[in-house]
């Protein structure tokens, strides 16, 4: 039985759910996930759904995370200034990763876009191959629709992606659809990682719109629209640290603490999804034939938004004005079956790539 160790960038929900899906696939194929190391801000706890579903020992370590301004937008300058004094903590994290690799002696390290994973691989040169997994690696593909604006942001995102993959044998780029591999760049296109829970959901269409917010400051825009259109039912998941499991604001607006299982249940029955252009949430909506409105809050998500529109999954907006979505819905064409077929091809793709480096 081959042993695998995960390194996971723990900010948001996407990389965590990708790790859960990958762990399920690997176990079903005779691998053992011996440990999962999750990087992120020390003050932000790892969501309980991850502990419940990953089925492996979990360790948290301090890692760089994005810093947002009061409007919920990413501030790259503040992010850099915030982390400069914390470099000593990151050195400790690198040692923690090294100790875990020595302790568990894995045959393979899978890095889900954790920057310290790449730096560890470069500095410590472990005798274990590393494969990197993430949608962000698709930005290196020659056919990807890169937004024309934001050259500096594009450089920073791609530089960060390079750091996460230092010394990696392969970069597995998760994609909404099939694109050609580019081996000269160590870039291989694979289908998204979706949790097995999604396959058993019963799809329905009720009248509510589902919202996922990865930053509490964005809630003000939701409330502003809700007060103008109180007749539209809204269910909103948000990442506020002290949020209640469920809080009913009024008859048509309910807030939920981040919960992976409950989110999928609500997604299966919603009319549409509104989110900040996170790759994983859009994939889940596409799989369940739910149109999406994406509101990017940084360059990486702007790339996701452009890709979302390219494949016909939904529409992009500059802010959480849900009227953009309601105007779009009558013209949306379902693409779920094509996407589901692409996802069904994924398991053999991933395993073949792992076998080639182990």
């Amino acid at each position: 039985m081959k042993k695998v160790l995960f390194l996971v960038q723990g900010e948001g929900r996407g990389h965590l759910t990708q790790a859960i899906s990958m762990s399920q696939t690997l176990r079903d194929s005779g691998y053992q996930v011996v440990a999962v190391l999750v990087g992120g801000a020390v003050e932000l706890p790892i969501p309980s759904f991850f502990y419940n579903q990953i089925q492996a020992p979990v360790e948290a370590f301090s890692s760089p995370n994005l810093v947002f301004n009061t409007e919920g937008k990413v501030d790259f300058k503040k992010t850099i200034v915030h982390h400069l004094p914390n470099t000593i903590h990151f050195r400790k994290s690198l040692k923690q990763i090294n100790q875990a690799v020595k302790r568990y002696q894995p045959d393979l390290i899978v890095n889900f876009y954790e920057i310290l994973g790449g730096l560890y691989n470069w500095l410590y040169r472990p005798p274990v191959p590393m494969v990197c997994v993430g949608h962000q690696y698709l930005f290196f593909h020659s056919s990807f629709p890169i937004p024309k604006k934001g050259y500096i942001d594009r450089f920073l995102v791609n530089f960060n992606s390079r750091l996460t993959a230092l010394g990696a044998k392969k970069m597995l780029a998760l994609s909404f659809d099939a694109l050609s591999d580019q081996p000269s760049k160590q870039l291989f296109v694979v289908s998204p990682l979706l949790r097995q829970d999604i396959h058993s959901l019963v799809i329905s269409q009720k009248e509510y719109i589902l919202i996922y917010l990865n930053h509490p400051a964005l809630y003000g825009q939701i409330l502003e629209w809700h007060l103008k259109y109180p007749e539209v039912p809204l269910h909103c998941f948000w990442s506020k640290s002290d949020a209640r499991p469920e809080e009913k604001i009024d008859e048509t607006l309910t807030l939920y603490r981040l919960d992976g299982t409950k989110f999928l249940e609500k997604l299966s029955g919603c009319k549409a999804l509104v989110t900040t252009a996170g790759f994983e949430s859009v994939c889940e909506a596409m799989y369940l034939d739910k149109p999406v409105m994406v509101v990017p809050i940084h360059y990486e998500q702007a790339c996701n938004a452009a890709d979302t529109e390219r494949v016909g999954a939904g529409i992009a907006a500059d802010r959480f004005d849900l009227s953009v979505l309601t105007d779009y819905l009558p013209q949306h064409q379902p693409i779920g079956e094509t996407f589901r077929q692409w996802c069904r091809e994924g398991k053999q793709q991933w395993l073949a790539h792992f076998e080639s480096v182990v």
Side-chain angles (χ1 to χ4, degrees):
M1 181 177 290
K2 292 172 182 171
K3 299 185 293 183
V4 183
L5 183 142
F6 285 0
L7 298 173
V8 186
Q9 194 258 92
E11 186 172 0
R13 192 178 66 97
H15 301 291
L16 296 173
T17 55
Q18 289 168 12
I20 291 171
S21 175
M22 181 64 77
S23 70
Q24 294 167 339
T25 296
L26 289 175
R27 279 193 297 270
D28 291 344
S29 304
Y31 287 75
Q32 179 187 8
V33 180
V34 291
V36 181
L37 278 65
V38 181
V42 292
E43 66 271 13
L44 295 178
I46 300 171
S48 59
F49 79 84
F50 186 75
Y51 286 103
N52 296 336
Q53 297 182 45
I54 194 65
Q55 297 182 30
V58 177
E59 295 182 24
F61 63 89
S62 178
S63 178
N65 62 288
L66 296 175
V67 177
F68 298 82
N69 60 25
T70 55
E71 297 177 352
K73 298 281 187 178
V74 173
D75 190 319
F76 283 109
K77 184 182 292 185
K78 287 185 178 179
T79 298
I80 295 171
V81 172
H82 174 75
H83 288 305
L84 282 177
N86 296 325
T87 52
I88 187 172
H89 298 297
F90 302 150
R91 287 201 295 270
K92 291 180 180 179
S93 295
L94 291 171
K95 292 181 180 178
Q96 181 181 347
I97 295 171
N98 189 48
Q99 290 169 356
V101 171
K102 288 183 176 180
R103 182 165 65 253
Y104 291 104
Q105 298 186 348
D107 300 296
L108 174 68
I109 297 173
V110 179
N111 183 10
F112 294 87
Y113 207 66
E114 170 52 52
I115 188 172
L116 292 189
L119 292 174
Y120 159 76
N121 200 42
W122 179 58
L123 292 170
Y124 285 82
R125 307 296 173 95
V128 185
M130 175 182 286
V131 171
C132 294
V133 178
H135 176 59
Q136 294 86 345
Y137 303 120
L138 199 64
F139 303 168
F140 297 133
H141 199 284
S142 57
S143 298
F144 189 82
I146 296 294
K148 295 180 180 179
K149 296 181 179 180
Y151 175 82
I152 295 177
D153 289 342
R154 175 186 177 184
F155 169 80
L156 290 172
V157 168
N158 287 344
F159 179 67
N160 184 78
S161 297
R162 297 283 184 198
L163 292 179
T164 66
L166 288 171
K169 298 296 183 183
K170 290 187 176 184
M171 294 183 290
L172 302 185
L174 304 173
S175 175
F176 291 141
D177 59 356
L179 297 173
S180 61
D181 293 334
Q182 298 187 339
S184 62
K185 300 179 180 179
Q186 296 179 306
L187 182 67
F188 300 87
V189 179
V190 294
S191 60
L193 289 162
L194 299 179
R195 290 170 291 162
Q196 292 180 354
D197 299 3
I198 202 169
H199 305 305
S200 59
L201 294 173
V202 177
I203 303 174
S204 62
Q205 183 169 321
K206 301 175 183 177
E207 288 303 309
Y208 66 87
I209 295 173
L210 182 64
I211 302 165
Y212 171 66
L213 301 178
N214 73 337
H215 195 278
L218 299 170
Y219 170 65
Q221 296 180 37
I222 299 298
L223 185 60
E224 178 184 347
W225 190 88
H226 170 67
L227 295 175
K228 293 179 181 178
Y229 304 95
E231 70 279 6
V232 180
L234 304 177
H235 292 261
C236 178
F237 285 79
W238 62 340
S239 57
K240 187 179 180 184
S241 58
D242 58 348
R244 301 175 187 174
E246 182 173 332
E247 183 178 358
K248 195 172 182 65
I249 303 301
D250 56 35
E251 291 301 314
T252 54
L253 175 58
T254 305
L255 303 178
Y256 301 90
R257 186 170 60 202
L258 189 60
D259 182 307
T261 301
K262 183 177 289 187
F263 176 81
L264 283 184
E265 291 174 355
K266 292 293 183 183
L267 182 60
S268 67
C270 71
K271 178 189 293 186
L273 172 69
V274 177
T275 180
T276 49
F279 176 75
E280 191 73 13
S281 298
V282 174
C283 286
E284 291 169 345
M286 291 171 65
Y287 192 91
L288 296 172
D289 264 331
K290 304 297 181 180
V292 298
M293 184 180 91
V294 288
V295 186
I297 60 173
H298 53 72
Y299 179 80
E300 177 189 316
Q301 291 186 351
C303 293
N304 292 348
D307 210 23
T308 298
E309 292 190 317
R310 177 184 68 86
V311 298
I315 191 167
D318 295 330
R319 56 182 284 110
F320 286 90
D321 178 3
L322 274 59
S323 298
V324 175
L325 173 66
T326 55
D327 291 342
Y328 163 79
L329 288 178
Q331 66 193 59
H332 177 75
Q333 298 295 322
I335 58 172
E337 184 50 41
T338 301
F339 182 71
R340 286 190 288 271
Q341 178 59 36
W342 169 233
C343 290
R344 283 192 285 269
E345 299 171 5
K347 181 177 180 179
Q348 296 306 317
Q349 291 177 330
W350 308 325
L351 293 175
H353 285 299
F354 292 156
E355 290 292 340
S356 71
V357 300
V358 172

